[in-house]
Amino acid sequence: MPKLTIDGKEYEVPAGTSVIKACHENGIDIPHYCYHPGLSPEGNCRLCLVEIEKMPKLAPSCTTVAGEGMIVRTNTDKVKKARADVMEFLLVDHPIDCPICDQVGECKLQDYYMEHDRRPSHVPLEQKILKPKRVQFSDKVIYDAERCILCTRCVRFCREVPGTNELGMFNRGAVSLIGLNEGRQLANDYSMNVVDVCPVGALTSASFRFQKRVYFLKTTPSVCNGCSRGCNINLDWDNEKLFRYRPRPNLEVNDYWMCDAGRLSCASQQAEGRLLRPKARMAGELKQQPWGRILDRVAEALRSAGDGKLAVLLSARATTEENYAWRSLIQSRFPKAFVAFTPADFYAEGKGDDILITADKSPNQAAGDALGLRSGSSLEQIVQAMESGQIATLVVLDDDYASSRNPNNRLADRFRAALAKVAEVVAVTPHESETTRLASVIVPKAAFTETTGTFINVDRRVQRIARSVPPPGEALEGLDIVSRLAHLLGTETASGNAAATFARMTASDAAFRGLTWEGLGEQGALLAS
Amino acid sequence: MEKVITRNWGKPGSATIDGAIANGGYKAAEKAVKELDSKTIIETVKASGLRGRGGAGFPTGLKWSFVPQDTGKPIYLCVNADESEPGTFKDRFIMENDPHMLVEGVIIASKALNCHHAFIYIRGEFFQQTKIVKQAVKEAYAKGFLGKGIFGSDYELKVTVHNGFGAYICGEETGLINSLEGKKGQPRIKPPFPAVSGLYNCPTVVNNVESLCAVPWIINNGADAYKKTGTEKSPGTKLFSVSGHVNRPGVYEIPLGLPLTTFINDPAWAGGIWKGRKLKACIPGGSSVPVLTAPQCEGVNLDYESLAAAGTMLGSGGMIVMDETTDMVHMLKILAHFYAHESCGQCTPCRTGTHWAYEVMSRIDAGEGRMEDLDLLIRIADGMAGQTICVLADALAMPIKSFVPKFRAEFEAKIKRKAA
């Protein structure tokens, strides 16, 4: 562990740490463009230069490894001048088209200009080098060569993370630009991360650009629900509308990245097909009902079915807390009811890859094991019971068992047919589906982006999600729904508060022992083994 | 002075292997392969004081001694024949006149480095020279001087001749290595230095053509004999390629330490300024080194130390002589254009600075400059110098920072002409 001195203070860092990392980890800001903690250093932007004793020239802190006894200075006049010079060089041919640039508000050129340069431009606009604008790298990513500072983060991302090498730097000198290698498309499953790593407005997202000025956006940390990896994300939203997902660094889960499919699922989360109001079937027709009437009807259906005629299908798409609250309610009031959890392979698609994408496309499959929900009934047993007319009331969370579009839903036809033999089918879910169309009671639920709770990922890491925008229409958070039902059924087994529910869970379930809601923080924590 | 590099030039058949053997070629290589061990060769070259002739002047033997021999990886030798610096054309003459001297130098250096595969990287525009070197390598293979069991020993050496594609920056040693690997010719961050991690991440030495050509003579005659020529710190001979306004432009082998004015004026060398005009300025070591005014040329000797003391560099020995009619503003503009065109584009200060400087020089040269442009030029040069991965930015910063103050009146005159 080498000890080095930075600006007069001594720090000890692990061997092999770069000087810039040593600075950043100790709260010393070093401006940088080409350096990215998730990519190999290249040392080309020259903004992170620092003074190191015994070195004849300023050294790039990103490619210099911290050495024993090294004396680093990050704020001398020489360093400040070098930073100002680099900023001036970077802006010489910059088009200054900020008014029409999507990066405004999260642009490192703007930030560092204000911090380190603040001099007027010496080059009139008409003398600047013109380069291609609006180059379509793919249907997802658009490139503006005039704004590009050629830091090559995007090139290195494609080379080092997906390993697909679509991008390269072309030409020489001042007319250099980033481009697609011959015959290639930017077509890897992680391509949109190049938009995140781009520190300026050169690479923008086709789906997000011109949608919103980023400085209006509020950010809520959450976890992607696209697969069981549970990539940490930020939800960017404003005025009850969700605008985009961005990966949030978590070195234990997703490093700095997320896949394109996950990122683009943002749009579908709020898209059409959302269930906005509670409805119930009256004389064969689905009619809108106030919440009170709907919950009464569901409570009555549960109560009247009683132990033996009640079946509840819990879900790998719902939060751990919602599943737990249902389990607690059933255990306390209807201990002999049929309870099943999403079959382990229900959301399996292909193989996944060895980067982030997993085969299981549900976010919370691990909750089924952690809460012991697989030891009850199986889906098949419940379908059999339905077929034999034994089930009077069925509650289905999220999963669309009636649809035959999912090849893993082998019981689809039997399930659909058997629904006719169930008196009351209660569907609790955010989205319309085959199942909701056949249900007798529709309970509109908040989507995960509108919900606070936890998902447990493929590595058994418990991670918090949090409500960003409010649910549309009259939809309620899943945990809220089940706690209101519990209240109507005369038990207080559930709380509408995710943190409180989590606390109960840690007390009652061995798998969660030792965890606390606060302790999960933004990086999550592993289940007890 | 005894000629080292150019001793066979002009002799009949000197470019063929039989001619080379008749001229005493390959004796040193045979001796090195059969009789000398690696350490002896390196020590001899170290003792000779031979310094890299490509421009940096780093001691050749010392460079060889940095190569670790215990990594288990192959060791490579790359010959830098990517001679592209404006005003420099000495390696080209060597390859044309005595390619076997280069091949012999490669054999000895490879033996010293324990290298079994050497690459000769030749500038893309050198079609003819590539042909000559390829022929020489072919002949050496045919004679058993290259390949398996060289000179009947168990030592094996492969030599590959490879062409660049016309980028100045591929003459920078790590740019050359990247280019050889099939990558874009962009210099690498150092450290790691090529000696530790170079071609294919293996220990690598990159040597200039002229440096290697001095090695056979040193092996034949010994380090002491080599040191008899030149100065104490700059021993031996050096090729100077002189161009510009002199009576006898061309390539000359001189003893290091020769007075600059002697070299320019002596009928044995450059033969004086043409048309009876007066000297105005001289760039002694390739276009990237600081320019000397005529008075500054007085009393300066052509060796590493004297030129450094005069505020310039020996560089590659590509001397450009300018007479009193030379338009120094236009001259600097041409240089700026060259470096702007050749910047690889990797580092911000060089990519933008060289181009910006060229733009400013262009408007001054076109009579559209502003007086504050002169300070701006210096500011651009200051922002570039020493701030980049390789020294290409410095290669323009140094001319700017010498041309502008030394010939400021000329720059001002061009700017004022517009006002008038």
Side-chain angles (χ1 to χ4, degrees):
Chain A
M1 296 267 286
K3 281 194 196 113
L4 76 166
T5 307
I6 307 171
D7 297 336
K9 230 177 124 184
E10 198 174 78
Y11 301 95
E12 194 169 351
V13 295
T17 307
S18 63
V19 171
I20 196 170
K21 198 170 175 206
C23 290
H24 285 169
E25 285 183 353
N26 290 294
I28 300 160
D29 184 38
I30 304 285
H32 58 281
Y33 286 112
C34 68
Y35 168 77
H36 186 288
L39 302 171
S40 66
E42 192 130 299
N44 63 35
C45 76
R46 315 309 285 178
L47 189 60
C48 74
L49 296 174
V50 293
E51 225 177 301
I52 297 177
E53 246 178 44
K54 292 185 191 138
M55 288 201 186
K57 298 194 252 180
L58 295 180
S61 57
C62 64
T63 58
T64 308
V65 174
E68 180 63 42
M70 202 177 244
I71 298 174
V72 180
R73 292 192 187 88
T74 72
N75 51 14
T76 62
D77 287 345
K78 210 172 155 191
V79 171
K80 285 179 190 160
K81 180 187 176 301
R83 286 177 186 168
D85 285 344
V86 168
M87 286 314 300
E88 182 165 33
F89 284 133
L90 283 173
L91 290 166
V92 160
D93 286 307
H94 188 276
I96 322 186
D97 56 348
C98 307
I100 56 156
C101 177
D102 233 49
Q103 195 78 5
V104 170
E106 53 186 7
C107 175
K108 285 291 174 191
L109 275 176
Q110 290 185 326
D111 295 354
Y112 288 153
Y113 170 76
M114 296 306 287
E115 242 177 278
H116 301 291
D117 187 10
R118 285 206 189 212
R119 289 175 291 183
S121 174
H122 287 267
V123 182
L125 272 178
E126 59 277 12
Q127 280 179 20
K128 293 183 184 249
I129 299 175
L130 301 180
K131 289 185 186 177
K133 294 177 86 78
R134 297 177 296 280
V135 180
Q136 196 106 26
F137 277 178
S138 70
D139 54 358
K140 298 173 192 159
V141 177
I142 293 165
Y143 175 62
D144 185 319
E146 286 184 352
R147 297 176 191 155
C148 179
I149 57 163
L150 297 156
C151 68
T152 69
R153 277 186 186 181
C154 54
V155 176
R156 282 174 284 149
F157 174 82
C158 291
R159 188 168 62 214
E160 294 167 15
V161 180
T164 42
N165 271 312
E166 292 102 331
L167 297 176
M169 185 168 146
F170 294 87
N171 301 341
R172 270 196 326 225
V175 293
S176 299
L177 43 76
I178 301 295
L180 288 163
N181 288 324
E182 201 174 312
R184 300 295 300 277
Q185 280 284 307
L186 185 60
N188 66 69
D189 291 336
Y190 298 85
S191 68
M192 294 180 79
N193 288 290
V194 300
V195 174
D196 303 325
V197 297
C198 181
V200 300
L203 291 170
T204 47
S205 151
S207 57
F208 175 69
R209 63 194 234 136
F210 308 134
Q211 298 301 306
K212 194 75 182 171
R213 280 299 188 197
V214 298
Y215 42 76
F216 290 124
L217 292 175
K218 288 91 182 162
T219 294
T220 304
S222 185
V223 169
C224 180
N225 76 337
C227 79
S228 61
R229 175 68 60 205
C231 289
N232 290 206
I233 58 174
N234 280 320
L235 309 172
D236 286 345
W237 55 278
D238 183 46
N239 268 344
E240 310 196 354
K241 185 170 161 37
L242 200 54
F243 282 89
R244 62 176 178 180
Y245 296 169
R246 278 178 303 135
R248 178 165 58 85
N250 186 336
L251 298 183
E252 301 296 329
V253 181
N254 55 311
D255 287 351
Y256 305 87
W257 328 116
M258 74 184 296
C259 73
D260 290 358
R263 187 188 302 259
L264 293 172
S265 67
C266 177
S268 62
Q269 207 62 241
Q270 296 195 101
E272 286 170 41
R274 281 299 293 271
L275 299 168
L276 301 179
R277 311 203 192 286
K279 287 179 184 172
R281 214 169 277 280
M282 330 246 301
E285 233 179 288
L286 271 180
K287 290 227 172 91
Q288 194 178 315
Q289 295 271 297
W291 267 112
R293 299 266 283 279
I294 285 288
L295 291 172
D296 283 343
R297 177 163 166 174
V298 175
E300 181 50 35
L302 293 174
R303 203 180 293 123
S304 66
D307 268 11
K309 291 184 160 190
L310 173 63
V312 180
L313 291 169
L314 301 180
S315 173
R317 303 201 69 81
T319 65
T320 318
E321 291 70 23
E322 188 184 350
N323 280 303
Y324 172 80
W326 274 104
R327 192 195 76 181
S328 305
L329 170 62
I330 304 298
Q331 269 175 359
S332 100
R333 300 286 282 111
F334 314 104
K336 286 186 190 138
F338 293 86
V339 178
F341 189 75
T342 316
D345 65 345
F346 190 73
Y347 288 105
E349 260 178 43
K351 276 185 164 169
D353 61 20
D354 52 9
I355 305 169
L356 293 177
I357 300 171
T358 63
D360 181 2
K361 300 297 177 229
S362 64
N364 207 11
Q365 200 50 259
D369 302 305
L371 294 171
L373 298 173
R374 296 196 196 285
S375 55
S377 318
S378 69
L379 178 65
E380 175 137 29
Q381 282 168 334
I382 289 179
V383 172
Q384 264 174 21
M386 285 159 68
E387 284 168 334
S388 66
Q390 199 186 332
I391 305 295
T393 298
L394 172 72
V395 178
V396 192
L397 297 193
D398 295 76
D399 304 319
D400 191 8
Y401 294 114
S403 164
S404 47
R405 271 185 305 180
N406 175 356
N408 300 320
N409 191 9
R410 289 176 287 274
L411 298 170
D413 295 338
R414 284 175 61 193
F415 183 84
R416 215 166 31 235
L419 282 179
K421 299 192 174 172
V422 179
E424 195 83 298
V425 177
V426 182
V428 185
T429 174
H431 291 97
E432 253 176 19
S433 68
E434 242 354 78
T435 305
T436 62
R437 276 188 277 281
L438 296 170
S440 56
V441 181
I442 291 174
V443 181
K445 192 169 87 166
F448 87 97
T449 50
E450 301 141 10
T451 300
T452 300
T454 66
F455 286 151
I456 307 174
N457 85 346
V458 63
D459 299 320
R460 296 164 46 84
R461 177 170 292 271
V462 187
Q463 307 194 94
R464 281 189 347 206
I465 62 170
R467 175 172 177 147
S468 57
V469 292
E474 293 174 28
L476 293 175
E477 287 191 39
L479 190 56
D480 200 5
I481 294 166
V482 58
S483 71
R484 288 186 196 202
L485 272 177
H487 183 74
L488 289 174
L489 289 165
T491 102
E492 295 302 330
T493 49
S495 151
N497 180 300
T501 306
F502 190 82
R504 287 189 195 188
M505 202 158 66
T506 56
S508 66
D509 282 55
F512 294 89
R513 200 148 294 154
L515 300 181
T516 63
W517 179 257
E518 291 73 25
L520 296 180
E522 292 202 345
Q523 304 278 296
L526 289 175
L527 284 177
S529 48
Chain B
M1 178 203 83
E2 192 181 337
K3 284 179 177 173
V4 173
I5 311 284
T6 61
R7 64 180 187 271
N8 302 323
W9 292 14
K11 292 184 189 166
S14 67
T16 65
I17 197 154
D18 292 327
I21 293 169
N23 292 333
Y26 290 105
K27 270 191 204 151
E30 186 167 5
K31 183 176 167 194
V33 169
K34 283 177 156 172
E35 297 164 26
L36 304 180
D37 62 3
S38 163
K39 204 178 156 208
T40 314
I41 304 172
I42 293 178
E43 286 309 319
T44 308
V45 174
K46 255 191 193 170
S48 75
L50 174 65
R51 295 169 67 165
R53 302 299 194 216
F58 193 80
T60 305
L62 194 60
K63 197 181 213 178
W64 293 358
S65 69
F66 288 154
V67 173
Q69 292 288 345
D70 53 357
T71 61
K73 291 179 177 176
I75 293 163
Y76 295 114
L77 171 69
C78 297
V79 181
N80 188 344
D82 190 61
E83 185 175 54
S84 326
E85 176 93 350
T88 309
F89 43 92
K90 61 183 180 75
D91 295 340
R92 165 189 177 158
F93 272 59
I94 295 175
M95 290 186 279
E96 286 170 359
N97 287 295
D98 200 346
H100 286 284
M101 187 178 273
L102 174 61
V103 176
E104 188 176 7
V106 169
I107 297 171
I108 300 167
S110 299
K111 177 75 200 301
L113 295 165
N114 200 15
C115 153
H116 299 285
H117 196 168
F119 295 83
I120 304 178
Y121 185 95
I122 306 182
R123 176 179 172 178
E125 291 88 340
F126 281 179
F127 306 112
Q128 198 56 36
Q129 293 74 10
T130 306
K131 239 170 141 178
I132 296 169
V133 172
K134 275 191 170 160
Q135 177 63 25
V137 168
K138 202 171 146 191
E139 289 171 358
Y141 268 108
K143 284 268 186 214
F145 297 170
L146 291 176
K148 278 186 182 151
I150 296 179
F151 300 114
S153 71
D154 57 0
Y155 179 64
E156 182 184 356
L157 174 64
K158 276 195 285 188
V159 171
T160 303
V161 179
H162 186 88
N163 263 125
F165 291 90
Y168 169 73
I169 197 57
C170 292
E172 198 276 348
E173 60 179 359
T174 53
L176 183 151
I177 288 169
N178 268 351
S179 176
L180 256 185
E181 288 183 4
K183 296 174 183 158
K184 193 173 180 194
Q186 289 184 333
R188 296 178 181 175
I189 292 261
K190 288 175 268 189
F193 289 92
V196 177
S197 179
L199 187 62
Y200 308 120
N201 295 333
C202 296
T204 303
V205 164
V206 183
N207 277 145
N208 173 259
V209 170
E210 187 188 345
S211 317
L212 288 172
C213 285
V215 173
W217 194 95
I218 293 168
I219 296 298
N220 278 329
N221 300 281
D224 290 339
Y226 189 73
K227 285 169 87 169
K228 276 186 193 143
T229 315
T231 68
E232 194 197 332
K233 285 184 176 166
S234 302
T237 67
K238 170 88 188 82
L239 297 196
F240 269 79
S241 53
V242 55
S243 60
H245 304 149
V246 291
N247 285 315
R248 284 163 42 89
V251 177
Y252 300 97
E253 183 169 8
I254 63 156
L256 281 166
L258 186 73
L260 172 54
T261 46
T262 308
F263 179 69
I264 292 177
N265 294 319
D266 195 300
W269 315 112
I273 308 299
W274 73 346
K275 300 180 182 173
R277 290 181 191 156
K278 276 191 263 172
L279 176 69
K280 181 178 197 174
C282 168
I283 298 173
S287 63
S288 59
V289 310
V291 66
L292 296 175
T293 62
Q296 283 179 319
C297 291
E298 299 293 331
V300 175
N301 295 338
L302 295 175
D303 60 70
Y304 294 98
E305 289 70 32
S306 306
L307 285 163
T312 182
M313 287 156 74
L314 182 87
S316 60
M319 185 182 290
I320 303 171
V321 177
M322 290 160 274
D323 74 16
E324 56 194 321
T325 67
T326 311
D327 179 345
M328 299 308 279
V329 180
H330 190 64
M331 178 76 190
L332 183 60
K333 182 192 123 174
I334 294 170
L335 289 182
H337 181 242
F338 176 80
Y339 290 104
H341 186 254
E342 295 296 343
S343 166
C344 81
Q346 193 175 195
C347 304
T348 307
C350 175
R351 176 179 69 235
T352 314
T354 52
H355 180 81
W356 191 10
Y358 168 61
E359 295 267 297
V360 175
M361 277 311 303
S362 296
R363 68 172 175 246
I364 297 175
D365 192 42
E368 288 160 9
R370 303 175 287 242
M371 218 37 106
E372 57 269 27
D373 281 347
L374 300 180
D375 292 338
L376 178 60
L377 276 175
I378 298 294
R379 212 156 62 74
I380 296 172
D382 279 337
M384 290 195 287
Q387 308 287 55
T388 47
I389 292 174
C390 79
V391 293
L392 195 143
D394 299 73
L396 177 58
M398 287 190 288
I400 291 175
K401 287 170 79 172
S402 56
F403 271 73
V404 176
K406 288 180 186 178
F407 300 96
R408 194 171 174 106
E410 263 184 65
F411 284 80
E412 288 180 354
K414 257 206 180 164
I415 293 169
K416 281 181 193 151
R417 202 173 309 154
K418 166 200 170 196

